[in-house]
Amino acid sequence: MNELVTLTAAELGERIAARQISSEEVTQAHLDRIDEVDGDIRAFLLVDHDGALDAARRIDARIARGERLGPLAGVPLAVKDLFCTEGLATTAASRMLEGWIPPYDSTIVARCKDAGMVILGKTNLDEFAMGSSTETSAFGPTHNPWDLERVPGGSGGGSAASLASFQAPLALGTDTGGSIRQPGAVTGTVGIKPTYGSTSRYGVIAMASSLDTPGPCARTVLDAALLHEAMAGHDAMDQTTIDQPTPAIVEAARKTDVSGMRVGVVSELAGDGYDPQVVARFREAVEMLTDGGAEVVEVSCPHFDLALPAYYLIQPAEVSSNLARYDAMRYGLRVDDDGEHSAEQVMRATRGAGFGAEAKRRIILGTYALSAGYYDAYYGSAQKVRTLIQRDFDNAWQTCDVLVSPVTPTTAFRLGERIADPMAMYRSDLCTIPANMAGSPAGSFPIGLSQTDGMPVGMQVMAPIMADDRIYRVGAVLERSLNEKWGTSLLAQAPELGGER
Ligand code: GLN
């Protein structure tokens, strides 16, 4: 493996700025790595070889002219295929949008380009970001680099797998119920869901608009913070964005200090149904925080258990509305448009052919939950539960600075194991959904490996709204403690690819 693909984004950025290496060399090394391993991993739906090299050469030329660019200038980036990219096909992993080329960049993609990042390509996901394994992608699943027979999580499995297999140093994700954090945990990478509204949704294909949150995916805490800082901030094109400065997350990631921090362990998010190895690594990680000077207390959040059922009313309701726009008239697929069929028949045939089974399930569930006579019983009750969850968080912040839990009840499961059992699939997000319901920021950090299956385990750190910096402080301490314990990073132990690691 070329050494360049093993460097962190921060290191790459520094060396490129100092002209020790060129962005073109770095980009070429990652494209070579993709060619070498992605046939097995399938993290990418599209690789933009020429576009990436062109962009890299342009950055090199600007640096050669003496321009001072940001810390990530020239660093390659993988983009979840839910973000619109001007001139590059964007599919949401659905047949419905196959071949559609957006005429504009999402705000976040535009900001990453402005910061000098080089887009390698578009990564695989569950169709319209609905799922926890990437298996609902219309273009086939992504494989977990730690064990090709296992899922890389979802919906952002492609982004996480591209990082874990050293095909990209940075990636973009979106998190509606866990799609950044759960793939992060099961691939041994870092994933942060920022405060809802602190990262722009403009040009991100809408799934459940009151929950969708773009965020950074990386291999190190500092890299995630650097990408987060480049993405975040108010956007006039997204009315829900918060007009406040982003907290000092890069500074927090460099601090590596939790002394005096009050850490709450959520009682409800461990115990029955959790893999004992996940719980064991979680307890060890809590110890690491205690050793770092944090004050650890147990906290009850009694309504967190209701988050999953409430999510599966609110999320499908918003999906049924958002996905109504795929009507065969405006975007992508159109079936039976032969002059023999009415517009309604074309619409029906297109929606029947274009959406996969999970998308249809959610549209039907959501339409039912919103229908006259059922609205109060289902959607209305779920919104009340959402308020109760927000109150649990508010109560917790009286005594704690952050809350911690496992990210997922189990390690990465086998491909095919849960796809026929939606409830089993949905339970993968038991721990991650509460933060989405409250709009709170939350991150996932690697904390070790299961001794039973050798797969990575993650810790979730949740913080109050617009206190995203606290998540990075805790993450940095976990990362340092783990690296000191092992004398190496977690990903250095991934057994699969090439054997160099
Ligand atoms: N797995 C959850 C779902 O299927 C969350 C997905 C996401 O965060 N995009 O809805």
Side-chain angles (χ1 to χ4, degrees), residues 129-132 154-155 174-179 207 311-312 315 362 429:
M130 286 181 271
S132 305
S155 65
T174 63
D175 192 312
T176 302
S179 282
M207 196 252 254
Y311 173 88
Y312 278 100
Q315 192 270 356
R362 306 268 181 121
D429 303 313

Side-chain angles (χ1 to χ4, degrees), residues 332-364:
L333 192 69
R334 184 178 294 173
V335 174
D336 284 351
D337 181 20
D338 51 10
E340 309 268 303
H341 293 87
S342 69
E344 193 187 323
Q345 285 169 329
V346 171
M347 264 178 223
R348 277 173 188 270
T350 302
R351 287 172 68 83
F355 289 131
E358 185 62 26
K360 285 178 185 160
R361 180 181 293 124
R362 306 268 181 121
I363 292 169
I364 293 166

